[in-house]
Amino acid sequence: MLIYAFRDARGTWHGDPDADVHDIQPGRGALTLPPPTPGQDPGLFGGQQVEVLYAACDLEASRTSYQLDDGNSLLATWHVHELLSPAYHRVLTAPTAERHTATVRLEIGSPHRRYNLHADLLAEGRVEITVVVCTPDGVIHGELTGEVDTCDLSEVSRLIASAPIASAAKTTSSATSPAPVKATRHGQAWTAEAIAYLKEHYRAGKSSEQLAEELGRNEKSICWKLYDLKLAPYPGDLVPDPRPPAEPEAPKAYTMEAKRQLHPNAYKPWEPEDEQRLAERCARGASLPELSQEFGRNEGAIASRLLKIRAEGPAADDAWEYGG
């Protein structure tokens, strides 16, 4: 569990509020930052109470934990830590009469990006700043250079942090990311790449119909997988409506012997080797009627067992129609 975003006293979000997290509802809490001691750099948020979001996520974790006001202690992502920790913020002040120029260098980053800041303090309280964005191996992806008054730095940084550019860039990146290899047959097992693609693009706003086409699966399979990943509610509309009551018939004597005339293994316990063989046959593409005939049990019993052992294949997809 990592603190991946926080909201300051002005209501502005910082960190990665749009990050992909593994929980449908992230945790929320209050964090009161200690006031700065005399002579200490106060940082950007010293003494403030901020609202934090925390969840399980794939962002890079720092080695620093923060104790929330409710006593819960959590690690923060590097991005959040770099914003909250005074050690990562050098206050740029106007040069003294004896010192007309000075240089500040700062580098922070993640596993995929490095951010280098080079600031030269100039005369008359101005500063020239160059920010370079590159990959860990030095491939430059962007550069920003400009000159401002040092008294404006704080508000400029707040303006950049509050701009909705990061989420827009992320959406664009997600839209152009390559799709994993499509499923080549009905009921093919889900790969880690396909699951990651499904989660990312569903959160980006794609419909189940679009995802079904891109992943080479039927829409029903997409809906059930989203429910299994706790990303979507129970797809009740995919469960068949109750069948209308049949015309009353004369009572029948359903004895175990009578049932076993149709299904020889009815009501018999499942052996581990039977379950293994059932999973293998399902993965090879056998249908529910074929499995029912082969294992000597009715289709409902086969469907229930396929869901219990989390089998993969066409019959497993169809098993949900029995109310699984």
Side-chain angles (χ1 to χ4, degrees):
M1 302 289 286
L2 298 176
I3 300 174
Y4 65 92
F6 65 95
R7 180 163 57 182
D8 63 21
R10 297 186 177 188
T12 302
W13 283 101
H14 305 272
D16 298 283
D18 297 319
D20 288 335
V21 299
H22 303 319
D23 302 321
I24 297 178
Q25 292 294 333
R28 292 176 178 265
L31 170 64
T32 301
L33 299 167
T37 58
Q40 181 189 31
D41 181 355
L44 296 176
F45 307 98
Q48 289 190 28
Q49 184 184 65
V50 299
E51 179 187 1
V52 301
L53 296 179
Y54 57 89
C57 58
D58 297 328
L59 300 175
E60 182 183 12
S62 71
R63 297 182 180 180
T64 303
S65 61
Y66 292 82
Q67 185 170 12
L68 305 186
D69 293 357
D70 62 5
N72 193 14
S73 185
L74 296 169
L75 290 173
T77 65
W78 264 113
H79 192 182
V80 168
H81 175 60
E82 289 160 354
L83 291 169
L84 294 180
S85 174
Y88 284 85
H89 299 282
R90 315 270 183 93
V91 177
L92 305 180
T93 58
T96 63
E98 294 76 22
R99 185 179 180 184
H100 296 290
T101 61
T103 298
V104 173
R105 289 186 174 89
L106 180 64
E107 179 175 329
I108 59 177
S110 68
H112 307 293
R113 285 285 191 275
R114 303 302 302 175
Y115 304 90
N116 298 275
L117 181 144
H118 183 108
D120 287 322
L121 293 173
L122 308 175
E124 300 179 355
R126 294 185 67 78
V127 58
E128 183 179 32
I129 299 177
T130 299
V131 178
V132 177
V133 182
C134 62
T135 63
D137 55 358
V139 178
I140 295 179
H141 281 264
E143 183 176 348
L144 179 67
T145 302
E147 182 181 319
V148 296
D149 286 331
T150 54
C151 61
D152 296 324
L153 283 176
S154 177
E155 291 305 318
V156 170
S157 65
R158 292 181 188 276
L159 179 64
I160 294 174
S162 62
I165 298 173
S167 59
K170 182 177 179 181
T171 302
T172 303
S173 174
S174 299
T176 57
S177 60
V181 177
K182 288 186 177 182
T184 56
R185 60 178 174 81
H186 179 52
Q188 180 173 319
W190 283 86
T191 63
E193 292 79 6
I195 292 175
Y197 185 91
L198 176 68
K199 293 165 64 175
E200 176 185 357
H201 289 261
Y202 177 75
R203 286 173 173 146
K206 288 194 175 182
S207 66
S208 56
E209 182 180 2
Q210 290 174 307
L211 291 167
E213 181 178 354
E214 294 173 3
L215 292 170
R217 299 175 180 271
N218 61 47
E219 188 175 356
K220 181 167 59 176
S221 174
I222 295 293
C223 292
W224 283 118
K225 193 62 181 179
L226 289 171
Y227 168 68
D228 186 50
L229 294 170
K230 297 181 173 59
L231 295 175
Y234 181 75
D237 55 329
L238 296 182
V239 179
D241 295 330
R243 296 178 180 177
E247 293 294 329
E249 298 180 358
K252 296 182 180 180
Y254 286 106
T255 64
M256 185 177 296
E257 291 74 15
K259 282 211 175 262
R260 285 182 175 169
Q261 288 181 6
L262 295 175
H263 305 291
N265 292 322
Y267 302 108
K268 289 184 179 180
W270 284 86
E271 300 295 337
E273 54 270 22
D274 293 334
E275 291 183 337
Q276 182 177 355
R277 187 163 60 91
L278 178 66
E280 292 173 353
R281 293 285 295 119
C282 179
R284 291 173 187 167
S287 65
L288 274 178
E290 291 172 341
L291 294 174
S292 173
Q293 180 70 24
E294 182 176 340
F295 286 84
R297 301 173 186 267
N298 65 38
E299 293 184 17
I302 295 294
S304 176
R305 187 58 50 168
L306 288 172
L307 295 176
K308 183 175 182 180
I309 65 177
R310 302 182 71 86
E312 298 278 358
D317 288 344
D318 295 338
W320 288 100
E321 306 222 359
Y322 282 81

